[in-house]
Amino acid sequence: MQHFPASERGVKDIGWLKSNFFFSFSDYYAPMRSAFGSLIAFNDDFVEAGKGFGIHPHVNMEIISVLLKGKMNHKDTMGYSTEIEAPAVQIMSAGSGLRHEEYNIGSEEVNFLQIWIAPKQQNIAPRYQQRSFPKANRKNKLVTIVSGEEGLQHCWINQNAKLSLGYYEQPTQLSYTFNPLNKCVFIFSIAGGLRVQDQVLQERDAIGLWETGEVTLQCAEKTEFLVIETPVNQK
């Protein structure tokens, strides 16, 4: 088990963009925190209204955006031109290569989690997908938002991974179970009080666990969190 306090994250502030990094990213270098299993990047980003990321390339990476607040556009070289509004998720399987841009097109600051996961297969055809996950539909349960398997209710990616979003309005204890073979879990506290095993997580803290197939979570009132289950090795 490894605790990742929010206070120990790397920080990048360029005015219109404020980023918080759990792992080495951009000009933040943390040699002891380069990744967690196949989870390569986990950034907690805040983007000013009217600002965003100009067109830029990606290759062979599963890129997941969990939009917690605000509204953004998405344009890419696959021909997609869409809008995404919180709470929602979009994925890009970059595969053999794509270029895209993302801008805050709302009137308020955008907050989104940018998550990169190493792919299962290299150089696949690039693909894009998005889904909305209204909080009213997620009350007091853990909902799959991204999976390595196709489905109508979630996005799917090119990796044996699963992302689940929990929102509990009342104090609750639950168990997250999974096949421990080559798997680890990374849990991020979005809001409220959360205890994972015997570790208390403050808001925006995270914790990583491995060599187990069951994790106990205790939620306080109005607790929201994200669970990322990924391979330990990239396969």
Side-chain angles (χ1 to χ4, degrees):
M1 186 167 67
Q2 184 176 4
H3 185 211
F4 296 88
S7 60
E8 295 181 7
R9 295 182 295 181
V11 177
K12 181 176 182 178
D13 186 347
I14 56 174
W16 65 268
L17 171 65
K18 296 177 177 63
S19 295
N20 303 275
F21 307 128
F22 277 117
F23 309 114
S24 295
F25 194 89
S26 184
D27 54 1
Y28 170 65
Y29 177 61
M32 300 303 293
R33 291 186 176 180
S34 59
F36 185 77
S38 298
L39 178 62
I40 304 300
F42 190 109
N43 306 341
D44 188 4
D45 289 346
F46 296 82
V47 181
E48 195 176 281
K51 304 294 184 178
F53 305 88
I55 191 144
H56 59 281
H58 293 283
V59 177
N60 288 322
M61 189 64 69
E62 302 302 300
I63 301 168
I64 302 157
S65 298
V66 181
L67 191 59
L68 301 177
K69 176 185 175 185
K71 184 177 182 180
M72 297 187 76
N73 81 325
H74 168 89
K75 292 183 180 180
D76 63 41
T77 48
M78 293 179 287
Y80 288 96
S81 181
T82 64
E83 295 180 359
I84 178 172
E85 188 167 4
V89 175
Q90 70 176 17
I91 67 95
M92 289 183 294
S93 289
S96 58
L98 58 80
R99 293 166 65 85
H100 76 114
E101 66 175 49
E102 316 280 335
Y103 280 89
N104 179 349
I105 58 172
S107 58
E108 64 175 350
E109 181 181 61
V110 154
N111 176 211
F112 75 102
L113 306 177
Q114 181 180 177
I115 298 161
W116 292 12
I117 295 176
K120 179 173 60 176
Q121 296 173 299
Q122 301 287 304
N123 299 318
I124 67 168
R127 56 181 297 275
Y128 170 83
Q129 191 179 28
Q130 68 166 255
R131 292 278 189 271
S132 180
F133 295 92
K135 192 171 282 188
N137 297 343
R138 297 188 283 111
K139 288 182 180 179
N140 301 316
K141 57 185 175 181
L142 195 58
V143 174
T144 299
I145 59 173
V146 176
S147 172
E149 300 177 357
E150 294 187 49
L152 298 177
Q153 305 301 319
H154 59 260
C155 297
W156 64 275
I157 60 172
N158 170 35
Q159 183 51 279
N160 298 320
K162 184 168 75 170
L163 279 71
S164 304
L165 203 53
Y167 174 62
Y168 290 84
E169 291 192 322
Q170 56 203 27
T172 307
Q173 179 170 311
L174 65 148
S175 291
Y176 182 87
T177 59
F178 60 101
N179 184 344
L181 184 64
N182 192 37
K183 285 291 183 72
C184 56
V185 291
F186 186 85
I187 300 171
F188 175 69
S189 174
I190 298 170
L194 181 65
R195 180 188 290 268
V196 179
Q197 305 291 68
D198 293 325
Q199 178 67 56
V200 174
L201 299 189
Q202 306 298 328
E203 288 190 9
R204 306 289 165 153
D205 285 358
I207 192 168
L209 304 102
W210 62 98
E211 294 184 4
T212 182
E214 182 174 7
V215 180
T216 300
L217 302 98
Q218 292 177 300
C219 309
E221 276 187 81
K222 296 184 178 178
T223 296
E224 189 168 20
F225 59 94
L226 178 67
V227 179
I228 303 177
E229 176 188 328
T230 64
V232 174
N233 299 309
Q234 298 171 16
K235 61 182 181 179

